[in-house]
Amino acid sequence: MTRYARVVTAAPTDRPGLDLDGLLADPAVKIIVCCGSGGVGKTTTAAALGLRAAEQHGRRTVVLTIDPARRLAQSMGLTELDNTPRQVKGIDTDAGGGGELHAMMLDMKRTFDEVVQAHTTPQRAAEIFANPFYQAMSSTFSGTQEYMAMEKLGQLRATEEWDLIVVDTPPSRSALDFLDAPARLSRFLDGRMLRLLLAPARGGRSMFTLVTASFGLFSKAVQKILGAQLLTDLSGFVAALDSMFGGFRQRADETYRILQDPQTAFLLVATPERDAVREAAYFADRLVAERMPLAGLVLNRVHRSSLPSLSAEAGEAAAARLDAAGDQQVTADALRIHAGLLRQIEREVEVAATFTDAFPAVPTVAVTAQPADVHDVDGLRTIGTALTTAG
Ligand SMILES: Nc1ncnc2c1ncn2[C@@H]1O[C@H](COP(=O)(O)OP(=O)(O)OP(=O)(O)O)[C@@H](O)[C@H]1O
Ligand SMILES: [Mg+2]
């Protein structure tokens, strides 16, 4: 029995808190994937959990980050994009004993190159690398980053070097892109449409030849418009891919299966804002549909008040009385700020409830908004503590 819940339904009163220390300490949990929409704190959460797993739970941990903010990357010693994990120095593993933190930034292009190398002969690989179409696609095709994040996860896992792999996901608008991209890219690489264009049709000529032939006199113009070079590149690319496509898809399928395994725990990250919470709910639905293990929701950057007993109404009324007396302007302002904060907290609670009402059995934890950005190891430690302390 794992300590974290798969999505099941239960009465709201049973709503559990998310025990992230339990998750980090569980030797059966080998992969944690942090998902969520753009800017909610996925990278911060992934790095903070990795640090805590190493410092407090003695685990040999690697964090796969994607596009971390520069200052955070620097503070973790990630100064170059070399696609291999580097040990993070200056962490304090006394409490956990023997833990290690390694971190890396995903290099999408390089990961793609590695995949190509793994699936074809050196000569074929060289042809593919030289192909301008490959060069464009491996660095810009939408979905490549998501696919390569999964690929890198598969590679890290295959080394069996790590007790725990914490995976950050790309800054997509939609959290679901992470799960959708491999299939999308796979379909593209499968190249049915491209192959159709290039395949021999009646009379042994390719559709492409037929198409261009049917333009007859205009073929020069057509070539200009379509870009003859592009089509040559494309056909070379598709032909080269043919030799390795099976392996490509097989790997994506394998990684997908790992994501369904109980050794994996998905963490949804959302800020208490309508769009972010809605996105988290879509993702939770999807994880259920895909039978992927959802560990819980991290509600990041929530606000708290140190004086919750003074209601917003009471604060505003008191401020109005002070105004009327023409007295103690600073106190009146402070009371109004307090009232504003309480109203914001009310809104946040309301928004968060749209998720927790829909998924009453998914454990959640709230992390307070820090006064400043999180850009160093100390900051990550603070977030790690907040993630594991019921607030
Ligand atoms: N609890 C917090 N309190 C204060 N600042 C935070 C908190 N969590 C994250 N941040 C800050 O918010 C910004 C966005 O966080 P982060 O980069 O982790 O989000 P992300 O989900 O990875 O974004 P992207 O989708 O762009 O990759 C960063 O500057 C980070 O330092
Ligand atoms: Mg990020």
Side-chain angles (χ1 to χ4, degrees):
M1 183 59 195
T2 48
R3 240 166 295 188
Y4 54 96
R6 283 168 183 268
V7 178
V8 286
T9 47
T13 46
D14 295 337
R15 183 172 305 142
L18 176 56
D19 176 16
L20 282 173
D21 264 335
L23 191 74
L24 295 177
D26 187 345
V29 175
K30 303 210 176 291
I31 296 167
I32 295 177
V33 186
C34 298
C35 302
S37 49
V40 293
K42 300 177 294 290
T43 303
T44 307
T45 303
L49 289 174
L51 178 68
R52 193 163 176 94
E55 288 193 329
Q56 302 292 320
H57 301 288
R59 303 193 77 188
R60 194 175 148 76
T61 307
V62 62
V63 177
L64 169 58
T65 65
I66 294 160
D67 256 345
R70 220 167 72 113
R71 280 172 77 191
L72 179 66
Q74 276 170 345
S75 73
M76 295 178 80
L78 297 173
T79 45
E80 48 185 323
L81 198 68
D82 60 1
N83 221 21
T84 49
R86 298 264 166 239
Q87 185 159 7
V88 180
K89 303 206 176 68
I91 71 165
D92 175 11
T93 58
D94 288 351
E100 275 177 28
L101 179 63
H102 298 245
M104 63 168 286
M105 295 189 275
L106 178 75
D107 181 338
M108 168 173 85
K109 165 113 180 57
R110 209 139 143 182
T111 305
F112 208 152
D113 291 354
E114 286 166 12
V115 176
V116 170
Q117 266 157 351
H119 288 295
T120 189
T121 61
Q123 193 200 335
R124 269 281 193 214
E127 279 166 33
I128 292 176
F129 295 155
N131 191 301
F133 191 76
Y134 171 78
Q135 287 164 8
M137 183 172 134
S138 60
S139 47
T140 57
F141 188 75
S142 83
T144 305
Q145 200 174 30
E146 283 83 358
Y147 181 88
M148 291 307 145
M150 276 208 194
E151 172 61 34
K152 198 74 211 174
L153 166 61
Q155 287 176 13
L156 288 170
R157 184 180 165 279
T159 65
E160 297 190 357
E161 251 185 78
W162 310 104
D163 297 337
L164 180 66
I165 304 169
V166 187
V167 186
D168 175 21
T169 51
S172 327
R173 191 189 56 76
S174 160
L176 285 173
D177 284 352
F178 179 66
L179 292 177
D180 288 335
R184 207 162 357 113
L185 191 67
S186 226
R187 271 199 303 278
F188 177 78
L189 291 178
D190 199 6
R192 247 162 254 170
M193 197 191 72
L194 299 177
R195 217 159 293 152
L196 201 70
L197 260 180
L198 301 161
R202 260 170 295 151
R205 286 189 296 176
S206 81
M207 285 285 282
F208 179 62
T209 321
L210 289 179
V211 169
T212 44
S214 69
F215 280 86
L217 284 172
F218 303 106
S219 76
K220 258 221 172 74
V222 169
Q223 282 199 355
K224 213 171 184 180
I225 293 162
L226 291 182
Q229 190 54 46
L230 174 78
L231 283 161
T232 313
D233 292 345
L234 203 55
S235 68
F237 181 57
V238 171
L241 275 180
D242 256 352
S243 65
M244 56 172 230
F245 183 73
F248 220 102
R249 185 165 45 195
Q250 192 189 342
R251 265 166 104 98
D253 290 349
E254 265 164 32
T255 308
Y256 223 71
R257 271 197 298 280
I258 295 168
L259 295 179
Q260 291 174 321
D261 193 281
Q263 69 180 281
T264 301
F266 277 89
L267 274 185
L268 298 176
V269 185
T271 45
E273 291 158 293
R274 222 157 269 289
D275 287 351
V277 168
R278 191 185 305 126
E279 204 57 53
Y282 287 152
F283 205 100
D285 276 335
R286 179 65 179 277
L287 290 175
V288 175
E290 305 269 351
R291 297 193 315 281
M292 289 179 173
L294 171 58
L297 172 75
V298 172
L299 206 55
N300 188 29
R301 304 189 89 153
V302 303
H303 291 85
R304 295 185 207 267
S305 163
S306 51
L307 195 58
S309 56
L310 178 61
S311 73
E313 294 77 14
E316 275 158 0
R321 278 197 299 277
L322 290 177
D323 283 349
D327 202 10
Q328 303 190 43
Q329 199 52 53
V330 176
T331 312
D333 287 346
L335 283 164
R336 255 184 229 104
I337 290 169
H338 169 77
L341 177 61
L342 284 197
R343 295 216 189 278
Q344 170 156 15
I345 294 170
E346 275 168 28
R347 279 195 301 276
E348 291 182 358
V349 168
E350 223 169 83
V351 169
T354 60
F355 183 94
T356 47
D357 289 351
F359 299 92
V362 176
T364 59
V365 68
V367 174
T368 311
Q370 306 295 307
D373 275 0
V374 182
H375 52 71
D376 58 18
V377 172
D378 275 342
L380 291 177
R381 211 172 273 131
T382 304
I383 297 291
T385 306
L387 280 164
T388 49
T389 314

